[in-house]
Amino acid sequence: MKKILVVDDEPSILTLLTFNLEKNGYSVTSAKDGLQAYELALTNIFDFIILDIMLPSLDGIEITKKLRQEKIETPILLLTAKDEPIDRILGLEIGADDYLTKPFSPREVLARMKAIFRRTETKTPTVEETSDILTVGKITADTSNYQVTVDGTAITLTPKEFELLLYFMRRKERVIDRDTLFEQIWHFDFDGQSRIVDIHISHLREKIEDDPKHPQYLKTIRGFGYQFKEPET
């Protein structure tokens, strides 16, 4: 039986989600306070977390960020009464798996959960993806320890920057479009307006390139997308 952590400071929403999740065969632990939720997620193993953004003591964005920093990769579905694009982008950027705006139906929550479970459970790693150490040029990534060095010097990447770099390194020389990156890294269909991919590419270049304005590794292929290449010597 899958264990779900549900976090919301509105008792009616906790009751609604708990009832419907248990009705569908899930084991539910609930919390109304952000700090309590964070401690529960740190000290227990859950299969899924449903997390409201607006919470007392510690908000959902901060909880997600801290959990990802602790290398806890439990899928997270964020709930919010807000509908501003910046909230969605921020939530996805710091490591949430999906985003749902209130009011919502329990059926939609269950559908989102099942879609995320399918995505995370059915993916079969390739030989490339199971390798612990990846090296392209002077960049080395240790996938098991989440460490990256450039010419022997350690650099600090956000979780999404690290995921993006690994995605490119494993697909060296391939041209990858923005739609694919948005779907594979942020797990959403590209809406044609979000600049989240370009922003992350820019930040990543600042950390791995000697001259970000004239990149040697992460090149823009105009009209197509991006390509990660072995630098020319």
Side-chain angles (χ1 to χ4, degrees):
M1 179 182 293
K2 285 185 168 61
K3 296 175 62 179
I4 313 298
L5 174 62
V6 180
V7 188
D8 201 299
D9 61 344
E10 296 183 48
S12 60
I13 292 181
L14 277 183
T15 300
L16 178 69
L17 288 174
T18 299
F19 173 79
N20 282 276
L21 288 167
E22 290 180 343
K23 182 180 177 181
N24 282 271
Y26 296 106
S27 172
V28 179
T29 300
S30 63
K32 300 178 183 178
D33 176 89
L35 186 58
Q36 178 195 12
Y38 177 60
E39 291 174 348
L40 281 169
L42 278 182
T43 56
N44 296 270
I45 297 175
F46 293 100
D47 297 290
F48 201 93
I49 300 173
I50 300 174
L51 179 62
D52 187 30
I53 288 182
M54 301 301 292
L55 291 167
S57 71
L58 197 63
D59 66 48
I61 294 291
E62 194 63 26
I63 293 171
T64 302
K65 186 187 300 182
K66 288 178 176 293
L67 291 178
R68 295 309 187 228
Q69 288 172 346
E70 293 292 334
K71 312 305 180 189
I72 295 174
E73 298 300 324
T74 306
I76 296 174
L77 172 65
L78 290 177
L79 305 177
T80 180
K82 299 179 180 179
D83 196 19
E84 295 294 328
I86 186 62
D87 292 325
R88 171 174 169 173
I89 291 172
L90 180 59
L92 297 175
E93 183 175 339
I94 52 90
D97 294 86
D98 205 343
Y99 181 101
L100 190 58
T101 302
K102 299 176 182 178
F104 53 80
S105 70
R107 182 178 296 179
E108 184 174 8
V109 173
L110 290 165
R112 297 287 186 98
M113 288 176 57
K114 289 177 182 178
I116 293 172
F117 280 139
R118 283 196 302 270
R119 191 164 64 226
T120 57
E121 292 173 356
T122 62
K123 181 181 176 183
T124 302
T126 63
V127 173
E128 287 178 310
E129 291 174 329
T130 57
S131 175
D132 287 337
I133 305 296
L134 299 173
T135 301
V136 178
K138 295 181 180 180
I139 299 175
T140 298
D142 185 336
T143 64
S144 60
N145 294 314
Y146 301 93
Q147 295 177 344
V148 177
T149 60
V150 179
D151 200 14
T153 301
I155 63 172
T156 301
L157 300 179
T158 67
K160 281 300 178 190
E161 288 169 354
F162 184 79
E163 189 177 350
L164 189 62
L165 177 63
L166 294 190
Y167 190 84
F168 275 119
M169 292 180 75
R170 287 167 172 153
R171 293 156 182 82
K172 185 178 67 172
E173 306 295 336
R174 302 184 199 173
V175 178
I176 303 171
D177 60 36
R178 287 175 178 82
D179 298 55
T180 300
L181 291 171
F182 203 72
E183 179 183 344
Q184 295 298 318
I185 305 300
W186 286 272
H187 310 301
F188 272 88
D189 293 334
F190 186 61
D191 60 12
Q193 297 179 347
S194 174
R195 295 193 62 246
I196 190 170
V197 173
D198 298 324
I199 290 170
H200 275 74
I201 293 288
S202 177
H203 289 169
L204 187 56
R205 280 174 172 159
E206 290 174 1
K207 296 178 179 182
I208 66 172
E209 301 280 2
D210 291 332
D211 182 359
K213 293 184 178 179
H214 300 89
Q216 298 300 305
Y217 289 97
L218 190 43
K219 295 181 175 291
T220 299
I221 309 300
R222 296 197 179 278
F224 293 96
Y226 298 99
Q227 182 182 36
F228 201 82
K229 294 175 63 68
E230 189 98 24
E232 298 178 0
T233 56

